[in-house]
Amino acid sequence: MDLKQLVANAIESSTDLDLSYDEIKDLLEVPRHEGHGDIAFPCFVLAKQLRKSPQDIAKDLAQDISGEGIAEVEAAGPYINFKLDHELVSQNILKEIYAQGKDYGTLNIGKGENVTIDMSSPNIAKPMSMGHLRSTVIGNAIANIEKKVGFNPIRINHLGDWGTQFGKLIVAYKNWGNEEDVRRDPIAELLKYYVQFHEEAEEDDSLNDQGRLWFKKLEDGDPEAVELWTWFKDESLKEFNRIYDKLGVEFDYYTGEAFYNDRLQGIVDELVDKGLLEKNQGASIVNLDEFDLNPALILKSDGASLYITRDLATAEYRKETFDFAESIYVVGNEQSYHFKQLKAVLARMGHDWQEDMHHVPFGLITAGGKKLSTRKGNVILLEDVLNDAVDLAKEQIESKNPDLANKEEVAHQVGVGAVVFHDLKNDRLNSFDFVLEEVVQFEGETGPYVQYANARANSLLRKAGFDESKVATQHEFALADEDAFAVVKELNLFPSIVEKAYYGYEPSVIAKYVIGLAQSFNRYYANTRILNDDDQLNARLSLVFAVTQVLEAGLNLLGVQAPKEM
């Protein structure tokens, strides 16, 4: 039940305003103060049309409006305030949630069409740092949301397994590497060599030339270069998969940049055939003046490919293979210009489907206000952060509930969930400073706070011996008190929240929503004797049950688990 829809219907059917139903609904507001009713209609927009003051319009219209589910209508200055029939509305909303369970909020926008989601994409031979967290968890949440609204999400880990940096790494390994050390601790050793390369290259620029040379050898299939590159890649994937397991993130495809090498010539040929490729100082470019963009560099003067060359091949492959309705790239904000160029080149190639490609940018995670950098060795390892978060969660569980049966499992769910939730509660485009001790707190606007509210609700249901299969009549859902109705109104918002998160590619909408729902439920819990054995007990338990369904559904959309005990 959409509460604004209910009020819009009443206004439309009771008045002869020169406004459509959709226009009426869009004007409706939720008052900041509960004393002003549940829904308000501002009359400012009608003043010119009716040639009266908004206050007089509100007074006149309020006398005529009535409808099912509306208990009171009154004018308050330039607003018409509507108080809803709490018992009837809560009955209908809770009945709907009870019938749908965790499917509540599911929409059919996508109609089963494919959506490719390019996410995470760490570079091989480097550890996964906190810098990789955002693309991974934002992409995973977007994939979950896409599924919730009816699409078929296809998670793709476009590994950074190609480019000049691998020539540099090969040079570093050949100069300073030790095979035994690498086999013992591959990622840490390879990172050490990579950092050393950049330190040495600041004094000796010829190292950069050597790096470019070895990457060209790799492109040309040099056996030694290919063997080292393959070894670096295999070791990296073992590390990555261990961390993805901790995060609970899975991929449908690990098709990195190297996967598209045999398609690059086809891209170049297509650009030539369409008369788009031009020579500029020995390099090959596509002019993008009509888009007010710099030329796209397709091939360097030595014939080596670039990111955009491989991304063109990637885009064509994904369209041919998956026939996507949307192709989403969850990549940092600093790559925005690259994606503008990519889409512009595809447009010049005549690929109208480039309009279905969306770059979903995000801000940075900083530590102590400083940007994390693998090159300079200023890196915080993601696995270390997750392990520390689990240890902090374990400490808090020991102090709050030392007899909890499955402490290790719950500590993992809470610790990892805290890190994921903290990332996703921030608006995607905002950067934020990460302080672990603030993240793993059971109080405040945190993941553990929401998880604990859900665990508390489940505890009430267990204590009451609540059996959802025995809630038989609509009367089990009828609640009229203000605290209960505040929770019901929050629950009612969930489908619209899912829709808003989908259209904005913005998981923070859901994270902020579940914080608000948890806060509303905790106020209800504090002010109401929920387990009091009276004729409203089953109705209160039905409300608590509805809260668990929506909190768990919301957390799961974010990729956060919802333990039933904490």
Side-chain angles (χ1 to χ4, degrees):
M1 173 182 280
D2 185 324
L3 302 187
K4 287 187 177 180
Q5 184 177 8
L6 187 149
V7 173
N9 282 332
I11 294 173
E12 186 185 40
S13 61
S14 304
T15 65
D16 56 357
L17 297 177
D18 189 19
L19 292 172
S20 69
Y21 165 82
D22 288 335
E23 288 173 327
I24 293 171
K25 188 179 175 187
D26 288 343
L27 286 169
L28 294 174
E29 301 174 3
V30 176
R32 292 183 181 180
H33 303 289
E34 289 185 7
H36 294 167
D38 301 306
I39 301 290
F41 178 73
C43 295
F44 305 102
V45 73
L46 299 171
K48 187 174 182 181
Q49 174 192 334
L50 300 180
R51 298 185 178 184
K52 287 197 285 188
S53 71
Q55 290 86 346
D56 288 340
I57 295 169
K59 194 181 299 181
D60 292 344
L61 290 179
Q63 301 173 38
D64 300 327
I65 299 173
S66 62
E68 183 184 7
I70 295 176
E72 294 178 20
V73 182
E74 68 172 6
Y79 289 88
I80 304 173
N81 291 338
F82 296 83
K83 186 171 184 181
L84 304 179
D85 182 332
H86 291 186
E87 190 167 305
L88 176 64
V89 170
S90 64
Q91 179 173 289
N92 288 337
I93 292 171
L94 293 180
K95 183 181 179 184
E96 184 179 354
I97 298 172
Y98 174 78
Q100 296 182 30
K102 292 183 185 65
D103 288 334
Y104 178 63
T106 299
L107 306 171
N108 190 28
I109 297 170
K111 298 179 173 59
E113 292 185 294
N114 288 336
V115 172
T116 59
I117 303 171
D118 186 318
M119 52 184 276
S120 195
S121 308
N123 290 326
I124 66 168
K126 295 181 188 176
M128 282 189 71
S129 72
M130 279 297 287
H132 296 105
L133 178 68
R134 300 220 73 189
S135 176
T136 305
V137 300
I138 292 171
N140 188 54
I142 287 174
N144 293 336
I145 293 163
E146 294 278 343
K147 186 173 183 180
K148 185 77 170 174
V149 301
F151 287 97
N152 174 41
I154 299 166
R155 294 171 172 86
I156 301 173
N157 197 332
H158 189 71
L159 294 168
D161 60 1
W162 209 245
T164 309
Q165 67 266 36
F166 297 104
K168 294 177 180 179
L169 186 60
I170 290 170
V171 172
Y173 175 74
K174 287 174 69 65
N175 282 353
W176 311 296
N178 177 283
E179 184 175 347
E180 276 187 28
D181 291 343
V182 173
R183 292 199 180 280
R184 186 183 65 253
D185 193 358
I187 298 298
E189 287 299 311
L190 292 172
L191 174 63
K192 185 173 75 175
Y193 304 150
Y194 186 73
V195 171
Q196 185 175 354
F197 178 94
H198 284 280
E199 290 172 347
E200 299 276 349
E202 287 183 5
E203 305 295 328
D204 180 6
D205 191 55
S206 69
L207 284 171
N208 288 316
D209 294 330
Q210 293 176 46
R212 286 187 283 270
L213 175 65
W214 271 97
F215 175 56
K216 189 66 171 65
K217 287 184 176 183
L218 182 59
E219 284 196 304
D220 293 339
D222 176 85
E224 183 182 7
V226 170
E227 182 182 1
L228 287 171
W229 172 80
T230 302
W231 179 35
F232 298 159
K233 182 175 180 178
D234 290 344
E235 293 297 335
S236 299
L237 280 173
K238 292 176 189 174
E239 165 114 343
F240 297 160
N241 284 323
R242 186 175 69 253
I243 297 168
Y244 291 135
D245 286 345
K246 287 180 184 288
L247 288 168
V249 174
E250 296 180 350
F251 294 90
D252 299 293
Y253 296 94
Y254 286 86
T255 45
E257 294 176 63
F259 176 82
Y260 301 98
N261 279 345
D262 61 358
R263 300 176 66 88
L264 299 184
Q265 189 58 48
I267 290 294
V268 174
D269 292 344
E270 184 180 351
L271 290 169
V272 170
D273 291 344
K274 292 178 177 177
L276 299 176
L277 208 60
E278 303 175 14
K279 284 290 184 180
N280 187 300
Q281 298 180 349
S284 299
I285 65 164
V286 173
N287 187 293
L288 299 176
D289 285 348
E290 65 182 279
F291 299 94
D292 293 324
L293 297 171
N294 293 330
L297 182 58
I298 304 300
L299 295 174
K300 296 180 183 177
S301 56
D302 64 359
S305 62
L306 290 100
Y307 283 123
I308 197 164
T309 325
R310 297 190 283 277
D311 280 351
L312 288 167
T314 302
E316 283 197 350
Y317 174 85
R318 289 178 184 169
K319 185 60 181 178
E320 291 166 10
T321 306
F322 304 111
D323 190 25
F324 56 73
E326 296 178 65
S327 182
I328 297 169
Y329 294 81
V330 186
V331 181
N333 196 35
E334 65 276 9
Q335 294 298 320
S336 292
Y337 196 83
H338 167 80
F339 285 102
K340 288 178 183 177
Q341 286 188 310
L342 174 64
K343 292 184 65 175
V345 174
L346 289 167
R348 287 210 65 196
M349 294 168 78
H351 296 318
D352 293 343
W353 46 262
Q354 58 83 21
E355 295 178 2
D356 301 319
M357 293 168 51
H358 306 290
H359 174 214
V360 176
F362 52 84
L364 296 171
I365 296 180
T366 55
K370 295 181 181 178
K371 182 179 176 181
L372 308 177
S373 170
T374 309
R375 280 188 183 187
K376 297 180 180 177
N378 176 29
V379 58
I380 299 174
L381 299 184
L382 178 54
E383 187 171 27
D384 289 348
V385 171
L386 295 178
N387 290 339
D388 290 345
V390 171
D391 289 342
L392 275 175
K394 201 181 302 180
E395 288 176 16
Q396 297 204 54
I397 290 169
E398 286 285 1
S399 66
K400 291 177 179 289
N401 190 3
D403 299 325
L404 184 64
N406 52 342
K407 280 186 284 193
E408 294 292 328
E409 180 185 359
V410 173
H412 174 84
Q413 293 173 335
V414 173
V416 173
V419 174
V420 173
F421 189 92
H422 181 75
D423 186 298
L424 296 177
K425 80 170 185 178
N426 289 281
D427 289 2
R428 174 169 47 78
L429 285 169
N430 290 347
S431 298
F432 63 88
D433 210 52
F434 185 85
V435 181
L436 183 62
E437 290 73 20
E438 295 176 2
V439 171
V440 191
Q441 292 289 335
F442 281 52
E443 296 83 27
E445 296 183 349
T446 67
Y449 172 83
V450 178
Q451 289 172 315
Y452 193 67
N454 178 66
R456 171 180 280 163
N458 275 286
S459 174
L460 287 168
L461 297 176
R462 284 193 301 275
K463 286 178 183 175
F466 179 76
D467 185 347
E468 61 184 276
S469 66
K470 293 182 179 177
V471 180
T473 69
Q474 289 189 15
H475 299 293
E476 303 285 6
F477 304 113
L479 289 163
D481 65 279
E482 292 293 335
D483 287 326
F485 195 65
V487 180
V488 169
K489 285 195 291 186
E490 287 288 334
L491 293 169
N492 179 66
L493 290 174
F494 187 53
S496 64
I497 289 292
V498 171
E499 186 174 15
K500 183 179 179 182
Y502 160 67
Y503 281 115
Y505 302 112
E506 187 56 89
S508 70
V509 171
I510 290 172
K512 290 168 183 170
Y513 166 77
V514 293
I515 289 170
L517 176 57
Q519 290 170 336
S520 184
F521 169 72
N522 283 336
R523 283 192 293 273
Y524 177 60
Y525 175 84
N527 296 330
T528 306
R529 296 187 53 146
I530 294 172
L531 298 183
N532 196 35
D533 190 7
D534 57 24
D535 60 359
Q536 287 275 285
L537 175 61
N538 282 336
R540 291 192 297 271
L541 291 176
S542 296
L543 175 60
V544 174
F545 173 73
V547 168
T548 65
Q549 299 305 287
V550 177
L551 282 180
E552 288 179 32
L555 287 170
N556 290 340
L557 286 176
L558 299 174
V560 175
Q561 292 182 284
K564 295 186 185 298
E565 292 185 75
M566 282 173 66

